[in-house]
Structures are given as structure tokens and as C-alpha cells.
């Protein structure tokens, strides 16, 4: 990457079903703030965008509105996103952030892949966070929707991909209904921060330039995520999607871990929506390693800060996806621990 992360323009990807309040959120962000200048890439499902009028009213000038008309950027034609961001690259320094509003049926993985792997994109932009806007009153209905064999429940998938979940319209449900839904969301993706909102009004600093997508975010993740998982609660889970946290002491054998990840991604990439890790490798001194991935696209490298003197070497992993077997994942990962009596 030729540009440092701090020089790259951050992209916040907003997902969520039609009617969850995405357009209201976009309008709120553009109307409520005046210290940041934000470029909106607005992509509503359908041939012609029906939200242009609503969003355009919030912009200083009509030419600031960039709209892609021919359907879903992240599912059908990636070229539109590349072309639009490419055209915007010359002016990107004018903007503090880019907000990419996606269709209600979109999987954000192709967007992430495009930005991270296309040199024209990765030299100018970075994914800052994936924000899922969820309708508190109707989300359970979407999560319960039965799909044909092999098809993905889009609502579960959107929750699984998110760094932030805006639980919108909380004023339309009871306290008990809200608690039950939050518990379900935690099972699907406990890694995501849940922010309760009414009429899509969320604190801007929680949405924009939060840097919650990056590899280092696992370092600040609440330790109780891993501890809760170790208690192995016997709750009956009807959702195919879930989040699994694993941690253990020791240093990993680099070759064995690489083989484990290659096999895992070869067999299960489609089922693994998000992965994150904090690693200690044998023979690498005090270097602390971190990785994060979306499906088979994995970013891996040294953490900004090394292992401190006397700090316990605890490896941490987060897997979010379909049909995950925590015991099998734990067993396979622990087989990657370097043992002094094996000099292979």
C-alpha cells in the first residue's frame, strides 16, 4: 500500500433491509453535522433510485450527490463502484469520509474485496466500518425467514458482517422485546457494538471515522466475549449464524497455523463471514501479529505495539459465520501450538 492508513479516505458501508431507516440515517448524518464534509454514494435497490430526492435535499449542491443507478453495487457489477470511487479520487481530499449506502439485499463482502484488492482503490481508500441498520420492531421477522436449502438468510448475514449495529426504532417495542432481540444479536455477532437509536439518530462519532474494521480492533475487544464463550452455555440456538471466540496461551507454529488457515478457507470460506485474530508465533520475538478477514480475503501483519515485557502470550480468535463448531475449531487451533520437544 503506497499510502499510509491515515492518508486514506475512510468508507463507512451502511447495510440494512429496505425500510430499516437507511435513508433517514443518511439524511440525519448530512443535516446534523457541519464539521465534516461527507460524500454519499447512494445505491437503492431497483433501476431508478427512489431515494434521490430525499437525500439530495440534505446536500449543499446537487452535484455532490453521486448515485449508481443500475442495481446492487456489491452483487452484480463491481465496475460501477470502482468507476465512481475512481472519479471521486481526485476530489477525495475535499471529504472527511465516504458513506456508501447499499441495497437491502446486499452482501458487503464484494465491496470490501474491491476496496482492499484493487490498487486504484486501496491507494486512496480504506474500509472504516460496516454499519448494519436494524429495525427493532421487524428484525426478528427477517431473522426467522426460512430460505431454500443452501440459501443465506440475508438478515443474519448482515448482522454477522457488521462492526456496528444500529438498533433503530427502539421506541416501538417493549423493554422485554428489546432485551430478547439484543440477546439474539449477541449470539449472531457479539463482536459488534450495538447502538440503540430512534429515527436513525445515532452519535456521529460512533458511525464515522471509528476505525472499527481494522485488524487492531480485536485488541480492544471486551475480554468477557472470550470468557463467556468458555463457560460453554447450553443455550438452544436456532440461528445458523453465530459468533465464536477462542483464546489460549502459548506460541503458534507458523507453518502449522498457515496450513490450518489454508484448509479452513478452502473448505469453509463461504460460511466464514468475519474472522479476526491476535497471535503469538514461535521464533518471532516480541512481535504481536493480528489478522482480520472477510470470507477468503485475509489481511495479516504485525500489530502496532509488540508484546510487552512480562505480558502473557494469549492467542485470541473470533469467527463469525454459519454452522461453526467451536470444539472442532478450538481443537484444530490448539494443534498449531509450538511444542519444544518437536523441532519440525
Amino acid at each position: 500500500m503506497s499510502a499510509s492508513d491515515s492518508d486514506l479516505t475512510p468508507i463507512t458501508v451502511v447495510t440494512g433491509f429496505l425500510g430499516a431507516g437507511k435513508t433517514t440515517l443518511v439524511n440525519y448524518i448530512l443535516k446534523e453535522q457541519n464539521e465534516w464534509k461527507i460524500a454519499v454514494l447512494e445505491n437503492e435497490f431497483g433501476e431508478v433510485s427512489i431515494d434521490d430526492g430525499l437525500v439530495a435535499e440534505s446536500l449543499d449542491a446537487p452535484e455532490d450527490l453521486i448515485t449508481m443507478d443500475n442495481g446492487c453495487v456489491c452483487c452484480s457489477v463491481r465496475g460501477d463502484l470502482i468507476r465512481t470511487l475512481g472519479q471521486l479520487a481526485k476530489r477525495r481530499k475535499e471529504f472527511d469520509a465516504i458513506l456508501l449506502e447499499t441495497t437491502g439485499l446486499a452482501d458487503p463482502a464484494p465491496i470490501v474485496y474491491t476496496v482492499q484488492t484493487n490498487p486504484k482503490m486501496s491507494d486512496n481508500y480504506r474500509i472504516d466500518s460496516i454499519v448494519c441498520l436494524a429495525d427493532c420492531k421487524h428484525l426478528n421477522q427477517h431473522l426467522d425467514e426460512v430460505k431454500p436449502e443452501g440459501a443465506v438468510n440475508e438478515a443474519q448475514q448482515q448482522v454477522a458482517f457488521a462492526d456496528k449495529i444500529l438498533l433503530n426504532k427502539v421506541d416501538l417495542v417493549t423493554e422485554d422485546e428489546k432485551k430478547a432481540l439484543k440477546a439474539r444479536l449477541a449470539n449472531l455477532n457479539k463482536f459488534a457494538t450495538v447502538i440503540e437509536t430512534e429515527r436513525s439518530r445515532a452519535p456521529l462519532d460512533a458511525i464515522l471515522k471509528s476505525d472499527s474494521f481494522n485488524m487492531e480492533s480485536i485488541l480492544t475487544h471486551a475480554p468477557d466475549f472470550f470468557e463467556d464463550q468458555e463457560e460453554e452455555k447450553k443455550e438452544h440456538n436456532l440461528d445458523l449464524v453465530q459468533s465464536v471466540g477462542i483464546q489460549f496461551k502459548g506460541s503458534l507454529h507458523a507453518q502449522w497455523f498457515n496450513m490450518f488457515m489454508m484448509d479452513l478457507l478452502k473448505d469453509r470460506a463461504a460460511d466464514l463471514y468475519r474472522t479476526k485474530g491476535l497471535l503469538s508465533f514461535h521464533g518471532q520475538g516480541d512481535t504481536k501479529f493480528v489478522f482480520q478477514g472477510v470470507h477468503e480475503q485475509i489481511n495479516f501483519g504485525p500489530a502496532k505495539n509488540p508484546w510487552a515485557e512480562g505480558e502473557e502470550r494469549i492467542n485470541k480468535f473470533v469467527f463469525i459465520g454459519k454452522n461453526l463448531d467451536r470444539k472442532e475449531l478450538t481443537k484444530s487451533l490448539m494443534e498449531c501450538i509450538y511444542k519444544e520437544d518437536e523441532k519440525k
Side-chain angles (χ1 to χ4, degrees):
M1 188 179 293
S2 61
S4 68
D5 277 2
S6 60
D7 188 50
L8 301 177
T9 301
I11 297 176
T12 294
V13 181
V14 180
T15 69
F17 269 73
L18 300 172
K22 292 195 305 298
T23 302
T24 309
L25 172 65
V26 169
N27 280 295
Y28 160 67
I29 290 174
L30 295 175
K31 286 177 179 176
E32 297 287 332
Q33 64 84 31
N34 47 35
E35 71 272 16
W36 291 348
K37 189 173 182 185
I38 300 167
V40 175
L41 304 187
E42 189 248 342
N43 175 63
E44 194 57 71
F45 192 65
E47 288 297 319
V48 179
S49 174
I50 57 174
D51 286 339
D52 276 2
L54 290 171
V55 177
E57 291 174 7
S58 303
L59 295 160
D60 293 332
E63 60 266 26
D64 284 338
L65 181 62
I66 300 168
T67 306
M68 292 162 284
D69 288 327
N70 63 338
C72 177
V73 264
C74 58
C75 287
S76 51
V77 186
R78 260 187 223 149
D80 274 7
L81 179 62
I82 293 174
R83 183 163 59 249
T84 304
L85 288 173
Q87 291 168 347
L88 195 64
K90 297 171 188 172
R91 296 181 54 200
R92 71 180 182 87
K93 297 286 189 179
E94 299 172 27
F95 302 104
D96 298 304
I98 290 174
L99 195 80
L100 176 58
E101 182 201 359
T102 68
T103 169
L105 300 177
D107 170 349
I111 294 174
V112 173
Y113 179 81
T114 299
V115 172
Q116 290 185 336
T117 60
N118 184 301
K120 292 178 183 175
M121 300 298 100
S122 59
D123 284 350
N124 293 289
Y125 304 101
R126 65 176 174 82
I127 300 294
D128 183 72
S129 65
I130 297 175
V131 177
C132 174
L133 191 61
D135 179 342
C136 198
K137 189 166 180 63
H138 298 108
L139 182 58
N140 269 319
Q141 179 183 329
H142 291 307
L143 293 173
D144 290 338
E145 189 176 344
V146 178
K147 295 290 179 179
E149 188 67 30
V152 177
N153 179 304
E154 293 94 347
Q156 292 190 20
Q157 193 175 33
Q158 287 176 355
V159 169
F161 273 115
D163 300 300
K164 306 284 180 76
I165 299 171
L166 296 184
L167 198 55
N168 196 30
K169 306 183 184 180
V170 293
D171 51 320
L172 302 182
V173 299
T174 66
E175 191 66 26
D176 287 344
E177 287 172 332
K178 184 178 70 177
K179 283 182 180 176
L181 180 57
K182 287 178 78 172
R184 187 176 186 182
L185 291 176
N187 189 64
L188 289 166
N189 182 356
K190 194 168 181 181
F191 198 82
T193 304
V194 177
I195 304 165
E196 296 181 19
T197 64
E198 296 179 19
R199 298 179 299 283
S200 304
R201 307 182 100 68
L204 295 184
D205 58 357
I207 302 171
L208 303 169
K209 301 183 84 169
S210 65
D211 204 21
S212 54
F213 185 81
N214 75 355
M215 293 191 295
E216 302 277 332
S217 62
I218 191 171
L219 302 175
T220 58
H221 192 56
D224 64 351
F225 171 74
F226 301 96
E227 290 158 11
D228 286 351
Q229 296 254 326
E230 287 174 358
E231 292 173 13
E232 204 64 48
K233 296 175 182 175
K234 301 295 182 185
E235 295 174 356
H236 188 51
N237 175 31
L238 297 176
D239 294 323
L240 286 178
V241 176
Q242 60 181 323
S243 50
V244 170
I246 299 167
Q247 66 174 1
F248 53 83
K249 300 173 186 175
S251 290
L252 298 168
H253 190 296
Q255 183 181 349
W256 294 342
F257 177 72
N258 286 338
M259 289 172 62
F260 161 75
M261 287 298 293
M262 285 173 61
D263 289 342
L264 181 67
L265 294 173
K266 183 180 70 175
D267 298 336
R268 301 293 306 278
D271 292 341
L272 286 168
Y273 298 148
R274 297 290 298 269
T275 52
K276 289 178 184 268
L278 165 67
L279 316 171
S280 170
F281 283 115
H282 174 77
Q284 295 297 317
D286 294 330
T287 305
K288 183 183 290 185
F289 289 89
V290 285
F291 76 87
Q292 70 93 10
V294 175
H295 291 313
E296 70 277 8
Q297 181 68 24
I298 301 286
N299 284 349
F300 176 88
K304 290 174 184 172
N305 297 312
W307 295 100
E309 187 175 347
E311 182 181 1
E312 195 167 30
R313 304 289 178 97
I314 299 178
N315 301 280
K316 295 182 179 181
F317 303 88
V318 173
F319 299 95
I320 302 171
K322 286 193 305 179
N323 302 314
L324 300 179
D325 186 330
R326 184 177 185 277
K327 288 183 178 177
E328 183 60 35
L329 285 168
T330 303
K331 177 176 176 288
S332 298
L333 281 167
M334 293 195 72
E335 286 173 353
C336 298
I337 295 177
Y338 179 87
K339 300 173 183 66
E340 286 297 333
D341 58 339
E342 297 179 20
K343 302 298 184 184
K344 295 178 183 178

